[in-house]
Amino acid sequence: MGHRFRRCVFLVSAVFSVIPSCSILFAPLWDATPLRCIGACEGSIACSTCHVILQPEMYDVLPEPSDDENDMLDLAFGLTDTSRLGCQVQVTKEMDGMEIRLPSATRNMFVDGKKPTHH
């Protein structure tokens, strides 16, 4: 059985079930919810589009972010003290009922910084 999470964006929220040991990035794919992280790099720590903001008490029990994750978080829009990349946070049963906030925007370097080339 999955765990229930609440994900909030401004005043919009959704509750969804999650398969334990799945990352927060891929968790909503298991349930029908319109709120999703983008995950442009598909979880390879090469972007910050899966940036999530965790509750302080949940952030404090997680392992420290890696140097690669911190480098990508430096590029994230709306960075906070409890920001993490959703692809790097594995869901555990201790997270049951956790609230996950999404920033109001993301920075997708491929799309946002892409300059068209002539063919």
Side-chain angles (χ1 to χ4, degrees), residues 33-51:
T33 177
L35 304 175
R36 289 198 170 39
C37 294
I38 294 173
C41 73
E42 298 179 349
S44 63
I45 321 176
C47 73
S48 62
T49 59
C50 66
H51 172 213

Side-chain angles (χ1 to χ4, degrees), residues 41-99:
C41 73
E42 298 179 349
S44 63
I45 321 176
C47 73
S48 62
T49 59
C50 66
H51 172 213
V52 295
I53 302 166
L54 305 176
Q55 296 169 308
E57 58 274 10
M58 188 52 55
Y59 181 90
D60 291 341
V61 299
L62 294 173
E64 290 289 319
S66 68
D67 289 341
D68 289 338
E69 182 178 358
N70 279 326
D71 288 345
M72 288 298 108
L73 283 169
D74 286 342
L75 304 174
F77 180 87
L79 190 64
T80 72
D81 290 340
T82 61
S83 290
R84 291 294 302 263
L85 295 182
C87 67
Q88 298 303 299
V89 178
Q90 300 300 310
V91 174
T92 66
K93 59 183 171 179
E94 292 77 29
M95 294 177 176
D96 195 11
M98 176 178 70
E99 181 178 290

Side-chain angles (χ1 to χ4, degrees), residues 91-112:
V91 174
T92 66
K93 59 183 171 179
E94 292 77 29
M95 294 177 176
D96 195 11
M98 176 178 70
E99 181 178 290
I100 303 167
R101 292 188 306 127
L102 296 178
S104 59
T106 61
R107 288 193 178 116
N108 186 338
M109 297 308 210
F110 180 76
V111 173
D112 297 340

